[in-house]
């Protein structure tokens, strides 16, 4: 069985997220699997480095899939580019070792979250940012961000889940920069729970608005979901890097 | 009568162009006039620095309008930002001299035209570029561009018109740069005929593909529309500056 890796990007605006869902084919995974199955003439299932939420974007997503077809990678690439919708783009297609698994082998992922922090118009990037002109204390947010670094129990920073899987994750980097009218959060970690980045950013925004002290974040590890901040909208979030 | 100047931007994708048309309110001028009329409680007509085509964008457009209302500019600005659709953005609103006219006083306008010249995916900027991966000879296009500089009769570079107005225009700058996978045309002139930038770019692309010699451009001044190149799509075009 061949194992093939695709590096891709997508604008998530009109999709119900990455993951295939019953009752709709309006997910990125479904579009990709349908297109690959048609091109290769066999049923294809893809594994991604991780799921992205409805409305969340990816500048870099990595998937792999197994197939019997002997179609050359260049041909698969050109066929995908021909048939996929214009909001899904394929950077590359290559044969990889049978052991490569896009999710299980991912060592680190990096997300950015963008906030348009101004009354000025944001017409051209509006689908890729959260528009919020309220004043934010950068120093307080940067101080708060520091408390996230390292290994912690992120149970309070994840959507309620029925499974009893570990909620411990390691955050290596959490940077907050102001560039013009934008505030950009960049977060790198070994894995992310459902909604984790969006709740971390929501909590830091509450710190930035003075509604929560930076030190309060220390008390949120192993706390309950209700203790942490609000979930910010999906449109500001973008997966930008996957490390293997 | 007050005279008010607005500086604004818009994404043209879903509009039938700048200019008010009978039978539809889906133009940028109509949206702006309707919104201003509702805010100010009187019928408002706006004049823009120039029209833009259906699908063409503006990072900077300037308009003026007269009104009786004494509503402060800050209030007009905040009301416009509240009620206009999210693809139209207002930078500023200010009182200007009664003699200021956005179109008649415009000394120079600058447009850019963007081409995504690669097979690589162009997902996030796809509504703002022409996607054309064919190879282009930059040197030939830059040489051709030089022939446009100065004052010429652009009759061949304009949509057929029934009026007998002058087709003489002055081009001060026409730069062509490659930045990564993009080729960007920047053109500054004292005025532009209907479709003029799009036909100039279409003609230069024919030069870039070797279908036309750079020197051929010299023979197109005062020639017929059919002699010049193809009209390129509106989506790659964006008005970026207006000088008074």
């Amino acid at each position: 069985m061949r194992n093939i890796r695709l590096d891709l990007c997508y604008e998530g605006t009109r999709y119900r997220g990455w993951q295939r869902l019953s009752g709709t084919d309006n997910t990125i995974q479904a579009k990709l699997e349908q297109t690959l199955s048609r091109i290769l003439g066999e049923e294809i299932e893809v594994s991604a480095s991780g799921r992205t939420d409805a409305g969340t974007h990816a500048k870099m997503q990595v998937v792999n899939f197994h197939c019997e077809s002997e179609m050359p990678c260049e041909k698969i690439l050109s066929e995908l580019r021909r048939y996929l919708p214009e909001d899904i783009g394929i950077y590359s297609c290559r044969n990889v070792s049978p052991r490569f698994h896009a999710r299980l082998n991912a060592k680190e992922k990096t997300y950015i979250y963008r906030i348009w922090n101004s009354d000025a118009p944001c017409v051209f990037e509006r689908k890729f940012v959260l528009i919020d002109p309220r004043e934010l204390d950068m120093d307080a947010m940067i101080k708060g961000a520091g408390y996230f670094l390292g290994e912690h129990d992120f149970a309070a920073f994840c959507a309620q889940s029925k499974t009893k899987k570990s909620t411990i994750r390691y955050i290596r980097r959490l940077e907050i920069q102001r560039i013009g009218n934008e505030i950009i959060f960049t977060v790198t970690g070994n894995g992310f729970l459902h909604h984790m980045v969006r709740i971390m950013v929501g909590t830091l925004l509450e710190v930035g608005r003075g509604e929560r002290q930076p030190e309060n974040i220390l008390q949120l590890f192993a706390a309950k979901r209700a203790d942490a901040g609000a979930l910010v909208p999906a449109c500001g979030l973008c997966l930008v890097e996957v490390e293997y």
Side-chain angles (χ1 to χ4, degrees), chain A:
Chain A
M1 263 311 234
R2 269 168 95 185
N3 190 15
I4 295 179
R5 169 177 167 166
L6 299 177
D7 290 12
L8 68 153
C9 61
Y10 46 83
E11 178 184 337
T13 311
R14 71 183 181 97
Y15 294 103
R16 295 182 58 184
W18 166 263
Q19 197 184 22
R20 200 189 327 117
L21 292 172
S22 63
T24 176
D25 64 354
N26 195 29
T27 72
I28 300 135
Q29 184 182 14
K31 292 283 176 216
L32 186 58
E33 288 180 343
Q34 283 163 9
T35 308
L36 281 168
S37 299
R38 195 166 352 120
I39 292 168
L40 298 171
E42 58 188 292
E43 187 104 345
I44 301 294
E45 269 190 48
V46 303
S47 302
S49 72
R51 305 167 188 178
T52 51
D53 298 331
T56 290
H57 318 289
K59 290 243 157 113
M60 176 56 84
Q61 171 68 287
V62 179
V63 309
N64 77 296
F65 64 92
H66 296 274
C67 70
E68 303 282 359
S69 165
E70 288 174 6
M71 185 181 285
C73 283
E74 303 70 40
K75 176 77 172 163
I76 299 174
L77 178 64
S78 66
E79 293 286 282
L80 280 173
R81 287 179 173 172
R82 185 167 167 193
Y83 292 113
L84 280 171
E86 61 180 7
D87 49 12
I88 303 176
I90 310 290
Y91 294 116
S92 64
C93 173
R94 50 189 151 140
N95 293 309
V96 285
S97 138
R99 290 186 307 278
F100 177 79
H101 189 284
R103 180 170 56 82
L104 299 178
N105 295 160
K107 288 211 180 75
E108 270 194 347
K109 283 189 284 184
T110 300
Y111 283 92
I112 58 167
Y113 195 93
R114 294 169 59 188
I115 294 173
W116 183 260
N117 187 230
S118 168
D119 277 322
C122 178
V123 160
F124 299 96
E125 295 293 307
R126 68 187 189 276
K127 290 174 182 165
F128 307 106
V129 298
L130 164 64
I131 295 179
D132 187 342
R134 285 178 287 182
E135 203 177 319
L136 292 167
D137 180 338
M138 284 293 287
D139 292 338
M141 290 198 294
I142 289 165
K143 187 172 177 199
Y147 295 118
F148 280 112
L149 299 181
E151 192 170 82
H152 302 284
D153 184 341
F154 286 89
F157 297 91
C158 110
Q160 297 297 347
S161 126
K162 283 158 203 154
T163 64
K164 278 277 178 194
K165 286 187 184 160
S166 167
T167 48
I168 297 193
R169 293 293 185 276
Y170 180 85
I171 299 295
R172 184 172 63 77
R173 172 171 67 154
L174 205 178
E175 284 168 13
I176 312 177
Q177 297 168 277
R178 176 180 276 283
I179 299 177
N181 287 326
E182 257 187 55
I183 294 174
I184 303 168
F185 294 73
T186 306
V187 53
T188 302
N190 66 346
F192 294 92
L193 301 163
H194 189 203
H195 287 174
M196 180 170 148
V197 179
R198 292 165 60 191
I199 300 169
M200 288 168 65
V201 170
T203 305
L204 286 169
L205 288 180
E206 292 172 10
V207 170
R209 293 195 298 264
E211 301 162 12
R212 195 185 277 275
Q213 293 303 305
E215 298 74 17
N216 171 258
I217 287 166
L218 282 171
Q219 297 157 30
L220 297 177
F221 298 121
K224 297 215 177 72
R225 171 67 192 93
D227 300 324
L231 179 73
V232 288
C235 60
L237 187 62
C238 186
L239 174 62
V240 296
E241 212 178 334
V242 188
E243 284 287 334
Y244 289 96

